[in-house]
Amino acid sequence: MHILVTNDDGPPSPTSSPYVHSFVRALQRAGHTVSVCLPHTQRSWIGKAHMVGETVKPSYYRPSETFDPTPPSDSAAAKPQGTTHSRPSKSRDIEEWILVDGTPASCAQIGLHYFFQDRGPVDLVVSGPNYGRNATAVFALSSGTLGGALEAAVCRQKAIAVSYAFFSRNHDPEIIEGASAHSVRVIESLYRQWPTDSSVDLYSVNVPLVEGVGKNKTLFTEMLQNYWSQGSSCFTEVEGSVGDEDEEEHRIREGEEREGVPAPEETSTKESEAGKGYTHRHFKWSPRFTDVYNSVEESPPGNDGWAVKEGLTSITPMKANFYHAAPHLHGSELKLEQSQPQDNTTSMTQEHTLLHRPKNHFYALIAYEDPYVQPLILSALSKVFPKESYTLLSLPESHDPSSSSEIPMSSLLPQSASDSASSSENNRILQITPYEHVDWSYVSDDHKGNVVVNSYMLRKALIRKHYLGTTIEHWVAKHPESVLNSHFRRGDAFEVDYAEFLDDALVEAFDLRASLDKNEEVEDAKDREWWILKPGMSDRGQGIRLFSTMEELQEIFDGWEEDESDDEDEEEDEENGGVNRKPTETKKDDDDYDEDKDDGITASHLRHFVAQPYIHQPLLLPAYDNRKFHIRTYVLCVGSMDVYVYREMLALFAGKPYVAPWEVPTGDDDASGEIDLEAHLTNTCLQRTVKDGSVRRFWDIDVPTTATTNASGPSKNAIFDQICAVTGDLFQAAAQGGMTMHFQPLPNAFEVFGLDFLVDAAGTAWLLEVNSFPDFKQTGDELNGLVQGLWEGVMALAVRPRFGSGAGDQEAAAIKTPSAMKGEGLKYEDRENYAEEVRDMVHVRNVDLGRRFG
């Protein structure tokens, strides 16, 4: 590729720029076309500055073939390091670098636009390698190296700032060569893997000058936010510069003009203090970097300063902008304090503001209480709605986010809005908060036409495992043709208070008892029907077990009671029974419980159980070590009700390769003979991340997208079509089946659900469970664009039609007009006809429950 190199240290020099020559040669050896445009002298600590009003002039540097970075001794003469010329060579065979009497940012501009066009477009701009580290905010904010890369980034060029962190000024040529070779590999890898979602404009790379740096880890890190110590100046007061002719002349002339005035030492202290002028002093740039080094030593692992200290290469992704701090304030109005009462001025000003707001103005309380999702929701809001169309509200100071108390919505509105007679114009509210903070009386009362919330009040017909089975069972009984009949394994629900009463608890679990009785007669475990046990109200994979006989099931419950009896510090909770009790915890409301987010298990969570037939054989992919995986699908329900499936799904892999439950190791000294659940559980809570390869974008996994005549097994399109069909029937079953008292979609609400599907070896997608308030963190920074895309669809489909803004309303409404209204799904190739925010939101069902917004 064609790489433009700049820096802030100038042309090669053993004392001020010892690395650039080695770096350029390493790039050339790797086969890249390298163009070089550098400042003609050192320009460190100048940031992204330009010299306004000055004419920038180039000169032409012809580098030597080799370069010795070792500073010469006092007695030794410096070796030739290249020559500088005022005019360019007439021969194209002579290598020439451009030197500019400007800044690194100016070099990036001039190099991109005025030289090297004959070599083709520039693919990448690299600024550096800097003579010293640019890790931590104190260094980076003033770095000329980062300034050159930032300038290239705002010119819409991919850019990387490279800095070499030295620990000794005794430059070892071999270590420098190793750092350059390693830097080339890092740069090439970053360029090939550059995100396509505009999430990164440039990278800051810090390479430690240590032996064997290429064998050490290269880590993506955050930038350590550090500061100068309070009261610590980066300047030292000094005497006037010796030999400064201009200064000396000025001093002499000043003395001439003041002839006859007593010398300073003859002026009394009282007279001096009474003078109005400043004391004339000189200052020299001399920062104390102890503050920086101490901040690194005191910081936790994971930042760029820490990585360099440990001898690791750090890569910090960056955007070419100032970071958007305090996003909860964006769009809100600063309340100006009055210096004194001014009669009716304040109320008149507020009324004036209300009258001149946009017609479709609304208030938005965005307090999701998840630092990963919160900025993505705010970003989606700002993309779908003009800034002037909404005002962000802040949580009341008295509100405790860790509590389960509701947020009184009326108290958050400006007084003039809440008192206004025209409430429909002035107090429309979008609320996106945890379930327990929703002011349900406000939502369902006279204000229901002016407020939109991000949750339904009742939805346990879906999110409780033992209710989900009943919901589907009732629907399939009346609609045997439903796709749910062949995509959900019916199980049995039961309650257990004490392990000794397990046999009695299974009296009405007819299918489970029949299966276990049949399994007792089967000697070979692989020929039995296996079951998976799930606590009906637990999460995070807790309490899940596999079994095939009554004896194995009894051992599971006996084991829980043994664990409980071993804890002598806990008192028995008589009210809730004796299975794994935690008396210090309290039961949450059924519809207040979030499957993916809560951390603990309460006593009542281990009373309700669901046993389902275990799905074997799962679809296994050799490219991913034959690990079991499930698909996390995000579903948006709007009003009462439209159902959308978000096309961007995740594949979540187990931690270990799949082993059938009857193939547990036995007889080995290192094996317990127990089922290793790490090979079976794929829950989002089990530290699944993109970085460790256990979380992947579904459309990227190694399964053909479209089935062909020669292909065997499933295709991704076929799997997705099944998921859409199952989702449509599922939500219709909840809304119109026999469990409607436990699922009541509100016309002024929407909710995002996380549905989990397991694909078997035959390609059938089986519904596992439904989660409210799904956990998004496993997508990490690598896939946060996927989550933001989901919330952009939410804003466009769930909010804009209610708090719309002109033409956007028509766009949002258009998504409900295609054949997808009949449940066929919006074909992926047809997405280009739809608004950008909703192209991946596939409409799978409209269930008209007769309730209307407003």
Side-chain angles (χ1 to χ4, degrees), residues 87-400:
R87 306 293 295 178
S89 170
K90 295 182 180 180
S91 172
R92 290 184 175 271
D93 297 331
I94 296 177
E95 181 183 10
E96 282 187 321
W97 299 358
I98 306 299
L99 302 184
V100 174
D101 58 348
T103 66
S106 300
C107 292
Q109 282 272 0
I110 292 171
L112 283 170
H113 299 298
Y114 297 101
F115 290 97
F116 318 122
Q117 280 83 355
D118 58 317
R119 303 178 184 180
V122 171
D123 299 301
L124 177 69
V125 176
V126 179
S127 184
N130 186 63
Y131 186 19
R133 72 195 67 193
N134 273 311
T136 82
V138 165
F139 285 137
L141 284 171
S142 300
S143 167
T145 302
L146 264 74
L150 281 165
E151 187 68 26
V154 297
C155 292
R156 300 182 181 274
Q157 291 284 337
K158 294 182 175 67
I160 300 174
V162 179
S163 305
Y164 287 177
F166 60 80
F167 301 90
S168 169
R169 294 183 185 272
N170 184 19
H171 308 304
D172 185 326
E174 292 188 6
I175 290 180
I176 294 174
E177 288 295 322
S180 294
H182 175 59
S183 298
V184 171
R185 290 180 59 202
V186 170
I187 289 167
E188 291 174 335
S189 299
L190 287 176
Y191 182 82
R192 286 194 295 267
Q193 301 173 36
W194 206 282
T196 59
D197 60 358
S198 300
S199 59
V200 175
D201 288 335
L202 70 155
Y203 292 98
S204 175
V205 177
N206 281 275
V207 180
L209 286 184
V210 295
E211 188 173 356
V213 67
K215 298 179 182 178
N216 298 344
K217 289 183 178 179
T218 299
L219 302 179
F220 286 98
T221 66
E222 63 181 2
M223 184 177 292
L224 174 63
Q225 178 64 67
N226 55 357
Y227 304 87
W228 296 116
S229 295
Q230 190 170 5
S232 174
S233 172
C234 294
F235 288 85
T236 302
E237 185 175 349
V238 296
E239 296 294 330
S241 303
V242 177
D244 187 337
E245 296 178 356
D246 291 338
E247 176 64 25
E248 184 69 9
E249 181 181 1
H250 185 77
R251 188 185 66 81
I252 294 172
R253 294 193 179 279
E254 184 180 37
E256 291 174 348
E257 293 170 0
R258 298 181 59 199
E259 188 173 357
V261 177
E265 58 270 20
E266 299 175 3
T267 305
S268 68
T269 303
K270 184 175 181 179
E271 292 173 337
S272 177
E273 291 176 352
K276 296 182 179 179
Y278 294 103
T279 302
H280 185 58
R281 290 175 285 187
H282 292 240
F283 305 92
K284 183 177 181 179
W285 169 251
S286 58
R288 294 175 64 253
F289 293 121
T290 305
D291 295 339
V292 179
Y293 302 135
N294 287 343
S295 68
V296 173
E297 291 294 334
E298 296 168 0
S299 70
N303 61 74
D304 53 355
W306 167 85
V308 170
K309 180 190 70 171
E310 297 296 318
L312 312 177
T313 299
S314 74
I315 303 173
T316 304
M318 299 176 65
K319 289 290 290 181
N321 58 17
F322 288 102
Y323 184 76
H324 299 302
H328 65 283
L329 295 177
H330 296 178
S332 62
E333 181 181 357
L334 173 65
K335 297 179 180 179
L336 301 177
E337 298 179 357
Q338 298 291 346
S339 57
Q340 59 184 7
Q342 297 183 0
D343 300 327
N344 297 328
T345 304
T346 301
S347 61
M348 289 175 61
T349 302
Q350 288 180 338
E351 290 176 8
H352 176 80
T353 302
L354 288 170
L355 289 172
H356 288 80
R357 279 192 177 128
K359 178 182 178 182
N360 292 313
H361 176 271
F362 62 94
Y363 293 93
L365 176 63
I366 313 295
Y368 202 76
E369 295 183 8
D370 183 336
Y372 177 84
V373 184
Q374 175 79 3
L376 301 179
I377 299 176
L378 288 167
S379 179
L381 179 67
S382 65
K383 179 173 181 179
V384 176
F385 291 95
K387 286 283 188 182
E388 64 274 10
S389 67
Y390 62 89
T391 298
L392 288 176
L393 298 173
S394 299
L395 289 171
E397 295 181 0
S398 60
H399 178 70
D400 180 7

Side-chain angles (χ1 to χ4, degrees), residues 700-770:
D700 292 339
I701 64 174
D702 191 19
V703 175
T705 300
T706 304
T708 65
T709 54
N710 298 324
S712 60
S715 71
K716 283 180 283 194
N717 277 342
I719 293 170
F720 182 70
D721 288 343
Q722 292 178 63
I723 289 174
C724 289
V726 170
T727 301
D729 271 19
L730 174 66
F731 281 87
Q732 185 171 2
Q736 294 182 328
M739 297 287 284
T740 54
M741 64 180 297
H742 297 300
F743 184 71
Q744 296 183 11
L746 300 176
N748 60 331
F750 66 89
E751 184 152 1
V752 175
F753 295 92
L755 274 61
D756 292 335
F757 290 86
L758 179 71
V759 181
D760 65 17
T764 302
W766 295 93
L767 174 66
L768 301 179
E769 62 184 32
V770 179

Side-chain angles (χ1 to χ4, degrees), residues 561-780:
E561 283 208 342
E562 289 175 6
D563 292 342
E564 172 66 17
S565 63
D566 288 341
D567 191 348
E568 297 178 355
D569 295 331
E570 290 188 355
E571 297 179 0
E572 188 165 312
D573 184 343
E574 297 292 345
E575 179 181 351
N576 286 317
V579 181
N580 201 20
R581 303 178 196 81
K582 293 187 179 182
T584 58
E585 300 182 40
T586 58
K587 179 181 179 295
K588 284 189 166 187
D589 179 80
D590 281 345
D591 281 291
D592 180 12
Y593 190 75
D594 301 336
E595 291 281 350
D596 273 3
K597 294 178 68 176
D598 198 79
D599 292 330
I601 280 188
T602 68
S604 63
H605 293 169
L606 287 178
R607 293 184 63 193
H608 303 276
F609 290 87
V610 173
Q612 290 177 292
Y614 183 72
I615 298 172
H616 177 84
Q617 164 92 5
L619 177 63
L620 302 175
L621 305 177
Y624 310 112
D625 300 324
N626 285 324
R627 288 181 291 160
K628 180 181 176 182
F629 71 95
H630 84 264
I631 298 170
R632 165 52 63 93
T633 304
Y634 298 112
V635 174
L636 169 65
C637 286
V638 180
S640 55
M641 108 185 140
D642 284 287
V643 184
Y644 300 85
V645 171
Y646 185 46
R647 191 176 189 277
E648 292 290 351
M649 304 184 297
L650 300 176
L652 304 167
F653 288 81
K656 296 180 179 179
Y658 181 76
V659 177
W662 54 83
E663 294 178 353
V664 296
T666 56
D668 192 328
D669 292 340
D670 297 329
S672 64
E674 297 181 353
I675 296 174
D676 187 353
L677 292 176
E678 268 288 279
H680 298 270
L681 298 185
T682 56
N683 299 58
T684 61
C685 62
L686 300 176
Q687 304 302 319
R688 303 287 179 248
T689 65
V690 175
K691 292 182 179 179
D692 67 14
S694 58
V695 177
R696 298 177 184 272
R697 181 176 172 270
F698 169 74
W699 297 99
D700 292 339
I701 64 174
D702 191 19
V703 175
T705 300
T706 304
T708 65
T709 54
N710 298 324
S712 60
S715 71
K716 283 180 283 194
N717 277 342
I719 293 170
F720 182 70
D721 288 343
Q722 292 178 63
I723 289 174
C724 289
V726 170
T727 301
D729 271 19
L730 174 66
F731 281 87
Q732 185 171 2
Q736 294 182 328
M739 297 287 284
T740 54
M741 64 180 297
H742 297 300
F743 184 71
Q744 296 183 11
L746 300 176
N748 60 331
F750 66 89
E751 184 152 1
V752 175
F753 295 92
L755 274 61
D756 292 335
F757 290 86
L758 179 71
V759 181
D760 65 17
T764 302
W766 295 93
L767 174 66
L768 301 179
E769 62 184 32
V770 179
N771 300 298
S772 61
F773 283 82
D775 183 14
F776 294 104
K777 290 190 292 295
Q778 74 273 1
T779 55

Side-chain angles (χ1 to χ4, degrees), residues 428 448-452 640 747-749 801-803 851-854:
R428 299 191 304 170
K448 60 185 178 182
N450 300 322
V451 62
V452 173
S640 55
N748 60 331
R802 290 158 174 78
F803 298 164
R851 306 167 194 149
R852 298 291 182 263
F853 177 74

Side-chain angles (χ1 to χ4, degrees), residues 389-585:
S389 67
Y390 62 89
T391 298
L392 288 176
L393 298 173
S394 299
L395 289 171
E397 295 181 0
S398 60
H399 178 70
D400 180 7
S402 62
S403 72
S404 298
S405 60
E406 296 178 350
I407 300 171
M409 293 303 299
S410 58
S411 66
L412 296 181
L413 290 170
Q415 190 64 33
S416 57
S418 57
D419 291 344
S420 173
S422 181
S423 60
S424 62
E425 292 292 331
N426 298 324
N427 65 353
R428 299 191 304 170
I429 304 173
L430 166 65
Q431 177 176 348
I432 298 180
T433 65
Y435 177 96
E436 60 269 21
H437 298 327
V438 177
D439 185 351
W440 290 111
S441 60
Y442 190 94
V443 170
S444 57
D445 202 356
D446 295 337
H447 307 280
K448 60 185 178 182
N450 300 322
V451 62
V452 173
V453 294
N454 64 309
S455 178
Y456 294 142
M457 185 185 296
L458 298 173
R459 65 272 206 272
K460 62 186 177 185
L462 293 171
I463 66 176
R464 294 292 146 258
K465 297 179 180 69
H466 47 300
Y467 281 52
L468 175 63
T470 303
T471 298
I472 294 176
E473 181 181 0
H474 287 179
W475 183 257
V476 169
K478 295 182 178 179
H479 304 274
E481 76 287 354
S482 171
V483 68
L484 293 172
N485 204 0
S486 56
H487 289 268
F488 181 78
R489 289 285 177 89
R490 182 189 179 280
D492 278 320
F494 56 93
E495 294 187 19
V496 179
D497 286 332
Y498 292 90
E500 61 189 284
F501 300 143
L502 175 62
D503 192 67
D504 295 334
L506 300 184
V507 169
E508 296 186 6
F510 302 110
D511 292 341
L512 175 60
R513 288 303 299 251
S515 175
L516 296 181
D517 290 344
K518 181 179 179 181
N519 285 344
E520 293 291 346
E521 302 174 0
V522 179
E523 294 185 4
D524 196 337
K526 71 178 181 180
D527 296 327
R528 299 173 188 160
E529 181 180 20
W530 280 77
W531 292 76
I532 182 167
L533 178 70
K534 300 178 182 179
M537 293 177 63
S538 73
D539 69 338
R540 309 180 73 82
Q542 298 184 72
I544 292 181
R545 298 291 187 270
L546 303 180
F547 66 97
S548 63
T549 66
M550 186 65 187
E551 181 182 0
E552 292 169 351
L553 183 59
Q554 186 69 58
E555 288 177 355
I556 292 171
F557 283 90
D558 289 341
W560 281 331
E561 283 208 342
E562 289 175 6
D563 292 342
E564 172 66 17
S565 63
D566 288 341
D567 191 348
E568 297 178 355
D569 295 331
E570 290 188 355
E571 297 179 0
E572 188 165 312
D573 184 343
E574 297 292 345
E575 179 181 351
N576 286 317
V579 181
N580 201 20
R581 303 178 196 81
K582 293 187 179 182
T584 58
E585 300 182 40

